[in-house]
DNA sequence: GTTACATTCCGTCATTGGCC
DNA sequence: GGCCAATGACGGAATGTAAC
């Protein structure tokens, strides 16, 4: 433990609220702090016979500390739960979150309407792809719902309106080029993390030049990072929740052990008195 | 009211270990 | 070896609190 626990909030998670402290006294676990001992670690004496580490060694220890991690909160708490049975609620796997993500995936709109009133089909680039914060990568193609004329898209752009899964309207500025046949070229609409929510960018597909390839790979990388960020955000939330639960559990154990200690001290005291009294009478 | 400081919460990145 | 979940570390935003 590094002692840097910053989650001191009192808003207890619902699952931990059901913890039963009375069962905690049955088993005493040893939570191993790492590292407990570092082999071959040079030390100095402080003049009083105590061994003191030098400053340079602290860096090494820190590194070792980083390298040798303690088991996860989930493992520790689940271990506590299994040993102490009904005392502590197990940290559950999060099935609901997966379901939530799935529901986001299905909110990709099918059609958009240009500022001139044409309807354009929006097909998800990959329906199975994880979408983040309501942002999605979608490919816009002409659905053949009437010819889109150049007049409808002055200066090579158009405002695209689409309806999200929740019914809210979104407007997107999209650069559009028209083929000689009057068809709209395929574009991808995306939302990089640098843009505020609700604002998306559009980039063309059918890339040929090396620069475009580089841009495309950068875009893919950005999308991948976005997905990772989303997942990690969720993971961090869960991790903090578990950490809170774990700390709460430890605090409860401390309280129980303190009480136990008090009781034992009292017991020892009374036994001593009894012994002394008996010795006097003899 | 406002300022300064502390605390809490949250998102992000880096890193690790386990699994395939 | 790559992928992924878990977690530590860090920084910024939001909120609380005490002193003025």
């Amino acid at each position: 433990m590094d002692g840097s626990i910053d989650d001191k909030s009192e808003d207890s998670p619902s699952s931990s609220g059901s913890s039963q402290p009375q069962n905690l006294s049955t088993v005493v676990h040893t939570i191993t702090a790492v590292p407990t001992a570092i082999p071959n670690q040079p030390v100095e004496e402080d003049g009083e016979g105590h061994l003191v580490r030098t400053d340079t060694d602290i860096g090494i220890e820190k590194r070792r500390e980083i390298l040798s991690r303690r088991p996860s909160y989930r493992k520790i708490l689940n271990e506590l739960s299994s040993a102490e049975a009904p005392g502590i609620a197990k940290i559950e796997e999060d099935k609901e979150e997966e379901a939530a993500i799935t529901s986001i995936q299905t909110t990709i709109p099918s059609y958009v309407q240009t500022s001139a009133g044409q309807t354009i089909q929006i097909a998800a680039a990959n329906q199975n792809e994880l979408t983040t914060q309501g942002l999605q990568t979608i490919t816009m193609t002409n659905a053949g719902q009437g010819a889109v004329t150049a007049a409808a898209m002055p200066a090579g752009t158009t405002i695209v309106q689409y309806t999200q899964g929740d019914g809210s309207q979104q407007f997107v500025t999209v650069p559009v080029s028209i083929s000689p046949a009057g068809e709209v070229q395929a574009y991808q609409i995306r939302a990089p993390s640098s843009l505020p929510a609700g604002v998306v960018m559009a980039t063309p597909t059918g890339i040929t030049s090396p620069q475009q390839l580089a841009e495309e790979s950068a875009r893919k990388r950005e999308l991948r990072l976005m997905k990772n960020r989303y997942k990690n955000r969720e993971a961090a939330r869960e991790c903090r929740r578990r950490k809170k639960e774990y700390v709460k559990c430890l605090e409860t154990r401390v309280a129980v052990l303190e009480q136990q200690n008090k009781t034992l001290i009292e017991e020892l005291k009374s036994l001593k008195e009894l012994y002394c009294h008996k010795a006097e009478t003899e």
Side-chain angles (χ1 to χ4, degrees):
Chain A
M1 294 264 274
D2 61 353
S4 66
I5 292 168
D6 60 354
D7 293 314
K8 296 168 190 166
S9 137
E10 58 287 342
D11 56 331
S12 58
S14 57
S15 54
S16 67
S18 61
S19 297
Q20 304 299 317
Q22 64 269 23
N23 293 313
L24 293 170
S25 60
T26 55
V27 180
V28 176
H29 288 268
T30 303
I31 309 281
T32 312
V34 289
T36 51
I38 299 171
N40 305 324
Q41 182 177 303
V43 292
E44 292 176 359
E45 266 195 52
D46 64 356
E48 295 180 10
H50 300 126
L51 296 177
V52 178
R53 281 173 290 130
T54 59
D55 281 350
T56 51
D57 302 322
I58 292 170
I60 298 169
E61 183 187 351
K62 181 124 186 169
R63 175 154 177 78
R64 284 173 192 263
E65 196 170 341
I66 288 166
L67 290 174
S68 59
R69 263 188 209 191
R70 56 181 298 152
S72 73
Y73 298 121
R74 190 198 295 268
K75 274 185 186 172
I76 293 168
L77 207 55
N78 284 347
E79 192 184 327
L80 286 170
S81 318
S82 58
E84 293 163 14
I88 304 161
K90 276 196 176 186
I91 297 178
E92 293 170 2
E93 302 290 335
D94 303 309
K95 303 290 183 196
E96 289 176 11
E97 277 192 15
E98 288 176 24
I101 291 169
T102 305
S103 70
I104 294 169
Q105 287 171 347
T106 60
T107 58
I108 297 170
S110 298
Y111 292 92
V112 298
Q113 195 172 39
T114 69
S115 53
Q118 287 91 5
T119 300
I120 296 171
Q121 186 178 16
I122 297 285
N126 180 358
Q127 290 281 357
N128 293 323
E129 277 188 348
L130 176 68
T131 60
T132 64
Q133 290 184 315
L135 306 175
Q136 55 255 178
T137 297
I138 49 183
T139 304
M140 183 179 74
T141 56
N142 190 347
Q145 309 256 339
V148 181
T149 65
M153 299 160 201
T157 64
T158 188
I159 304 292
V160 174
Q161 175 194 12
Y162 68 91
T163 308
Q164 286 190 309
D166 60 2
S168 61
Q169 299 288 314
Q170 295 287 331
F171 296 89
V172 186
T173 304
V174 183
V176 176
S177 63
I178 309 298
S179 70
E183 290 179 339
V184 178
Q185 304 293 318
Y187 280 82
Q188 282 194 327
I189 301 174
R190 68 191 181 95
S193 56
S194 57
L195 293 177
V199 179
V200 297
M201 278 167 38
T203 54
T205 58
I207 293 160
T208 51
S209 76
Q211 191 186 349
Q212 282 176 318
L213 278 171
E215 282 175 6
E216 177 65 8
S217 67
R219 193 189 61 76
K220 281 180 179 171
R221 183 176 172 274
E222 194 181 355
L223 185 67
R224 198 179 63 246
L225 288 175
M226 272 174 61
K227 287 178 191 173
N228 288 343
R229 274 197 289 269
Y230 173 81
K231 287 175 99 176
N232 195 235
R233 191 159 54 229
E234 297 293 316
R237 279 195 201 124
E238 272 310 293
C239 186
R240 285 176 183 129
R241 188 184 65 78
R242 284 193 295 270
K243 192 173 181 176
K244 272 187 189 174
E245 208 162 318
Y246 170 69
V247 168
K248 239 177 130 69
C249 173
L250 285 185
E251 284 171 352
T252 310
R253 290 239 324 275
V254 166
V256 168
L257 290 174
E258 276 176 350
Q259 187 57 45
Q260 238 183 351
N261 199 30
K262 268 186 191 173
T263 309
L264 287 171
I265 287 169
E266 288 299 316
E267 201 178 328
L268 179 66
K269 211 173 167 182
S270 60
L271 284 172
K272 267 185 183 174
E273 280 175 9
L274 191 69
Y275 176 77
C276 289
H277 186 68
K278 205 174 180 181
E280 278 175 12
T281 54
E282 283 175 357

